[in-house]
Amino acid sequence: MKRLLAISCLLALTAGPSLALSCLRPTIEGSYLDHAKAKESYILVFGKLTDKRNEVSGPKIQGGNGARSENFTATLVGKQATRAGFDRPLKTTVAVNTTCAGPWCGTVNIDLQMITFLEITPYGHRLTEGPCGGNIFYNPTKAQEKSVLRCLRGGVCNPDRR
């Protein structure tokens, strides 16, 4: 009986809240639908961010192993999507923001090909990425490119397709 009581007390003392961020892996079609329904306006682009500058890091997140939000500007060089495809040349300055949820923060990589959704603001274009992703698809496959363009053209757009 004493042993059972000791084990129960030990478990009670060591049990605590489990901290974990649970994210479903975003799909490009699901992200397209989310951005299409948003009150903000977005453009769909294929390209890469270059020339990172004006970097401002947020405070270190306690318990986040050095994680922190980040704000910077960069140049996006690529093509904007139209119904005909990714065919409208685009070179624009983008305000980039990463956000955090507890100790987990989003990240944005420079110099990697991506399909992304740029928000149109009164001040230009903005790209925001949170810890669960969904705004940026790095090194997109032809299948991802084809499916997001199908969504743009009003075709079948399945948010669960992986």
Side-chain angles (χ1 to χ4, degrees), residues 30-40 42 159:
S31 293
Y32 177 87
L33 292 171
D34 290 343
H35 287 89
K37 288 187 252 178
K39 65 180 183 196
E40 301 86 7
Y42 292 88

Side-chain angles (χ1 to χ4, degrees), residues 12-23:
L13 290 174
T14 59
S18 175
L19 296 176
L21 182 64
S22 180
C23 301

Side-chain angles (χ1 to χ4, degrees), residues 50-56 71-76 92-94 110:
T50 63
D51 190 28
K52 182 176 180 179
R53 57 199 181 278
N54 304 324
E55 185 174 354
V56 178
N71 299 300
F72 61 89
T73 54
T75 302
L76 187 132
T92 187
T93 298
V94 178
I110 301 296

Side-chain angles (χ1 to χ4, degrees), residues 37-107:
K37 288 187 252 178
K39 65 180 183 196
E40 301 86 7
S41 296
Y42 292 88
I43 60 172
L44 177 63
V45 299
F46 182 96
K48 68 168 72 171
L49 291 170
T50 63
D51 190 28
K52 182 176 180 179
R53 57 199 181 278
N54 304 324
E55 185 174 354
V56 178
S57 295
K60 284 188 178 178
I61 306 298
Q62 192 169 26
N65 298 324
R68 57 177 56 192
S69 63
E70 184 178 37
N71 299 300
F72 61 89
T73 54
T75 302
L76 187 132
V77 179
K79 296 189 177 189
Q80 181 178 343
T82 68
R83 288 176 137 338
F86 288 102
D87 62 350
R88 182 175 294 159
L90 180 69
K91 182 176 182 180
T92 187
T93 298
V94 178
V96 179
N97 312 99
T98 64
T99 61
C100 301
W104 301 275
C105 298
T107 59

Side-chain angles (χ1 to χ4, degrees), residues 125-139:
H125 295 103
R126 178 172 45 214
L127 173 60
T128 302
E129 185 73 314
C132 290
N135 289 328
I136 303 170
F137 294 85
Y138 293 106
N139 299 317

Side-chain angles (χ1 to χ4, degrees), residues 29 32-33 83 147-158 161:
E29 291 179 46
Y32 177 87
L33 292 171
R83 288 176 137 338
S147 64
V148 77
L149 288 172
R150 183 177 53 246
C151 293
L152 178 68
R153 293 175 183 132
V156 175
C157 197
N158 181 351
R161 186 176 292 143

